[in-house]
Amino acid sequence: MKFKAQDKQNQLIENISSSHLVVGVDIAQETHVARAVSYRGIALGSPLEFGSYDEGFQLFLRWVQDLLKSYKLSKVIVGMEPTGHYWLSLARWLSGKGIEAVLVNPHLVKKNKENRDNSPSKSDRKDALVIADMIKNGYYSPVRFNPRKLTKNFGFSWLTGTRLPNDSTAPLTKFIAG
Protein backbone atom coordinates (compact mmCIF):
# COMPACT_ATOMS: atom_id res chain seq x y z
CA MET A 1 0.00 0.00 0.00
CA LYS A 2 1.42 3.35 -1.02
CA PHE A 3 1.52 6.27 1.35
CA LYS A 4 -0.35 9.18 -0.19
CA ALA A 5 0.30 12.88 0.35
CA GLN A 6 -3.31 13.30 1.50
CA ASP A 7 -2.75 10.68 4.22
CA LYS A 8 0.27 12.62 5.49
CA GLN A 9 -1.68 15.87 5.52
CA ASN A 10 -4.56 14.18 7.36
CA GLN A 11 -2.12 12.96 10.02
CA LEU A 12 -0.76 16.49 10.44
CA ILE A 13 -4.29 17.90 10.76
CA GLU A 14 -5.16 15.25 13.35
CA ASN A 15 -2.14 16.35 15.41
CA ILE A 16 -3.92 19.69 16.00
CA SER A 17 -6.56 19.26 18.70
CA SER A 18 -9.14 21.53 20.30
CA SER A 19 -6.66 22.15 23.13
CA HIS A 20 -4.04 23.64 20.75
CA LEU A 21 -3.03 27.26 20.34
CA VAL A 22 -1.75 27.56 16.77
CA VAL A 23 0.78 30.37 16.31
CA GLY A 24 2.12 31.70 13.02
CA VAL A 25 5.26 33.82 13.01
CA ASP A 26 6.32 36.02 10.13
CA ILE A 27 10.12 35.92 10.37
CA ALA A 28 12.23 38.98 9.63
CA GLN A 29 15.81 40.03 10.27
CA GLU A 30 15.15 42.03 13.42
CA THR A 31 11.43 42.07 14.29
CA HIS A 32 9.10 39.08 13.98
CA VAL A 33 5.29 39.24 14.00
CA ALA A 34 3.14 36.54 15.63
CA ARG A 35 -0.58 35.79 15.31
CA ALA A 36 -2.54 33.04 17.04
CA VAL A 37 -5.59 31.04 16.00
CA SER A 38 -7.66 28.23 17.47
CA TYR A 39 -7.70 24.78 15.90
CA ARG A 40 -10.68 26.03 13.85
CA GLY A 41 -8.82 29.10 12.54
CA ILE A 42 -10.50 31.70 14.74
CA ALA A 43 -8.05 34.54 15.41
CA LEU A 44 -7.16 34.81 19.10
CA GLY A 45 -5.67 37.81 20.87
CA SER A 46 -3.78 40.68 19.31
CA PRO A 47 -0.78 40.44 17.01
CA LEU A 48 2.63 40.59 18.69
CA GLU A 49 5.81 42.14 17.36
CA PHE A 50 8.95 40.87 19.07
CA GLY A 51 12.67 41.13 18.52
CA SER A 52 15.02 38.46 17.29
CA TYR A 53 16.95 38.18 20.54
CA ASP A 54 16.46 36.64 23.98
CA GLU A 55 14.36 39.48 25.46
CA GLY A 56 12.08 39.39 22.41
CA PHE A 57 11.73 35.62 22.69
CA GLN A 58 10.84 35.97 26.38
CA LEU A 59 8.14 38.52 25.42
CA PHE A 60 6.83 36.03 22.86
CA LEU A 61 6.72 33.26 25.48
CA ARG A 62 4.75 35.44 27.91
CA TRP A 63 2.31 36.32 25.09
CA VAL A 64 1.81 32.61 24.31
CA GLN A 65 1.35 31.75 28.00
CA ASP A 66 -1.22 34.55 28.39
CA LEU A 67 -3.18 33.26 25.38
CA LEU A 68 -3.06 29.68 26.66
CA LYS A 69 -4.45 30.84 30.00
CA SER A 70 -7.04 33.24 28.53
CA TYR A 71 -8.51 30.65 26.18
CA LYS A 72 -8.03 27.65 28.49
CA LEU A 73 -5.74 25.82 26.08
CA SER A 74 -2.95 23.43 27.04
CA LYS A 75 -0.84 22.85 23.91
CA VAL A 76 0.94 25.13 21.48
CA ILE A 77 2.43 24.70 18.03
CA VAL A 78 4.47 27.51 16.46
CA GLY A 79 5.03 27.72 12.72
CA MET A 80 7.22 29.93 10.57
CA GLU A 81 8.67 30.23 7.10
CA PRO A 82 12.31 29.17 6.81
CA THR A 83 13.37 32.69 5.81
CA GLY A 84 17.11 32.80 5.22
CA HIS A 85 18.84 31.90 8.46
CA TYR A 86 16.65 34.19 10.59
CA TRP A 87 14.28 31.41 11.67
CA LEU A 88 17.05 29.26 13.16
CA SER A 89 17.50 31.08 16.46
CA LEU A 90 13.75 31.16 17.20
CA ALA A 91 13.31 27.48 16.24
CA ARG A 92 16.24 26.47 18.41
CA TRP A 93 15.00 28.59 21.32
CA LEU A 94 11.49 27.10 21.06
CA SER A 95 12.93 23.60 20.94
CA GLY A 96 14.91 24.33 24.10
CA LYS A 97 11.68 25.38 25.83
CA GLY A 98 9.88 22.19 24.74
CA ILE A 99 7.59 24.05 22.32
CA GLU A 100 6.79 22.36 19.03
CA ALA A 101 8.16 24.35 16.11
CA VAL A 102 7.16 23.65 12.51
CA LEU A 103 7.96 25.10 9.10
CA VAL A 104 5.66 26.10 6.24
CA ASN A 105 6.55 26.39 2.59
CA PRO A 106 7.03 30.07 1.60
CA HIS A 107 5.55 29.43 -1.85
CA LEU A 108 2.37 28.05 -0.31
CA VAL A 109 2.15 31.05 2.02
CA LYS A 110 2.19 33.31 -1.01
CA LYS A 111 -0.50 31.22 -2.73
CA ASN A 112 -2.71 31.13 0.38
CA LYS A 113 -2.76 34.89 1.08
CA GLU A 114 -6.04 35.47 -0.73
CA ASN A 115 -7.81 32.65 1.14
CA ARG A 116 -7.98 34.67 4.35
CA ASP A 117 -9.51 37.94 3.12
CA ASN A 118 -9.91 37.66 -0.69
CA SER A 119 -7.13 40.22 -1.16
CA PRO A 120 -3.60 39.66 -2.49
CA SER A 121 -2.26 42.42 -0.21
CA LYS A 122 0.81 41.70 1.89
CA SER A 123 1.64 42.63 5.46
CA ASP A 124 3.60 40.97 8.24
CA ARG A 125 0.44 40.60 10.33
CA LYS A 126 -1.46 38.99 7.47
CA ASP A 127 1.45 36.68 6.66
CA ALA A 128 1.61 35.49 10.30
CA LEU A 129 -2.14 34.76 10.21
CA VAL A 130 -1.82 32.90 6.89
CA ILE A 131 1.00 30.81 8.38
CA ALA A 132 -1.16 29.94 11.41
CA ASP A 133 -4.03 28.95 9.08
CA MET A 134 -1.73 26.74 7.04
CA ILE A 135 -0.57 24.94 10.17
CA LYS A 136 -4.11 24.17 11.34
CA ASN A 137 -4.83 22.88 7.82
CA GLY A 138 -1.87 20.48 7.93
CA TYR A 139 0.47 22.30 5.54
CA TYR A 140 3.60 22.11 7.68
CA SER A 141 6.69 20.05 8.39
CA PRO A 142 8.38 19.50 11.73
CA VAL A 143 11.66 21.33 12.34
CA ARG A 144 14.50 18.86 12.05
CA PHE A 145 18.05 20.04 12.33
CA ASN A 146 21.41 18.68 13.31
CA PRO A 147 22.78 21.07 15.96
CA ARG A 148 26.42 20.13 15.22
CA LYS A 149 26.05 20.81 11.51
CA LEU A 150 24.24 24.11 12.09
CA THR A 151 26.80 25.29 14.63
CA LYS A 152 29.59 24.50 12.17
CA ASN A 153 27.86 26.15 9.20
CA PHE A 154 26.14 29.13 10.81
CA GLY A 155 27.93 29.98 14.04
CA PHE A 156 26.87 29.52 17.65
CA SER A 157 25.03 32.82 18.16
CA TRP A 158 22.26 31.95 15.67
CA LEU A 159 21.44 28.79 17.57
CA THR A 160 21.28 30.35 21.01
CA GLY A 161 19.05 33.31 20.18
CA THR A 162 21.73 35.89 20.80
CA ARG A 163 21.66 38.77 18.43
CA LEU A 164 24.43 39.56 16.00
CA PRO A 165 25.80 43.10 16.07
CA ASN A 166 23.74 45.51 14.00
CA ASP A 167 26.66 46.77 11.92
CA SER A 168 25.68 46.31 8.29
CA THR A 169 29.19 47.21 7.15
CA ALA A 170 30.85 44.35 9.04
CA PRO A 171 31.34 41.26 6.91
CA LEU A 172 29.01 38.41 7.81
CA THR A 173 31.86 35.92 7.66
CA LYS A 174 33.39 37.59 10.73
CA PHE A 175 30.31 36.61 12.73
CA ILE A 176 30.16 33.10 11.29
CA ALA A 177 33.80 32.42 12.07
CA GLY A 178 33.17 33.59 15.64
Side-chain angles (χ1 to χ4, degrees):
M1 181 168 157
K2 290 187 177 183
F3 187 74
K4 296 180 182 174
Q6 186 64 47
D7 295 334
K8 180 179 184 329
Q9 184 179 0
N10 287 344
Q11 287 178 337
L12 294 172
I13 292 169
E14 289 172 359
N15 285 341
I16 309 293
S17 69
S18 60
S19 61
H20 266 92
L21 176 69
V22 181
V23 179
V25 179
D26 185 55
I27 299 289
Q29 183 174 358
E30 292 188 23
T31 304
H32 309 313
V33 176
R35 295 290 307 264
V37 299
S38 70
Y39 78 105
R40 291 176 147 187
I42 299 167
L44 305 175
S46 300
L48 174 74
E49 291 186 11
F50 64 101
S52 185
Y53 47 90
D54 193 56
E55 292 84 7
F57 295 165
Q58 294 294 339
L59 175 66
F60 174 71
L61 181 60
R62 285 191 302 275
W63 179 78
V64 166
Q65 290 170 336
D66 289 345
L67 288 172
L68 287 169
K69 186 178 178 182
S70 296
Y71 294 96
K72 296 176 177 61
L73 302 170
S74 59
K75 298 176 185 175
V76 64
I77 183 169
V78 178
M80 62 199 85
E81 292 177 283
T83 306
H85 62 273
Y86 303 117
W87 65 276
L88 289 170
S89 59
L90 178 60
R92 177 70 173 175
W93 188 86
L94 290 168
S95 177
K97 298 290 182 191
I99 298 172
E100 184 178 8
V102 298
L103 299 174
V104 297
N105 185 323
H107 299 290
L108 291 179
V109 172
K110 185 176 182 179
K111 288 184 176 197
N112 279 286
K113 281 187 199 302
E114 288 187 44
N115 292 347
R116 188 72 191 187
D117 63 1
N118 205 26
S119 166
S121 65
K122 180 193 179 343
S123 74
D124 293 342
R125 290 175 181 216
K126 180 178 178 182
D127 287 355
L129 195 57
V130 169
I131 291 167
D133 276 343
M134 289 178 62
I135 296 164
K136 71 132 179 106
N137 289 329
Y139 295 105
Y140 65 89
S141 301
V143 172
R144 292 189 189 106
F145 51 82
N146 179 337
R148 287 187 193 145
K149 188 174 182 180
L150 286 174
T151 302
K152 179 181 173 190
N153 292 343
F154 294 114
F156 186 72
S157 64
W158 291 348
L159 296 177
T160 59
T162 58
R163 187 172 176 180
L164 296 174
N166 194 13
D167 181 1
S168 59
T169 61
L172 183 60
T173 54
K174 173 183 170 188
F175 302 120
I176 294 173

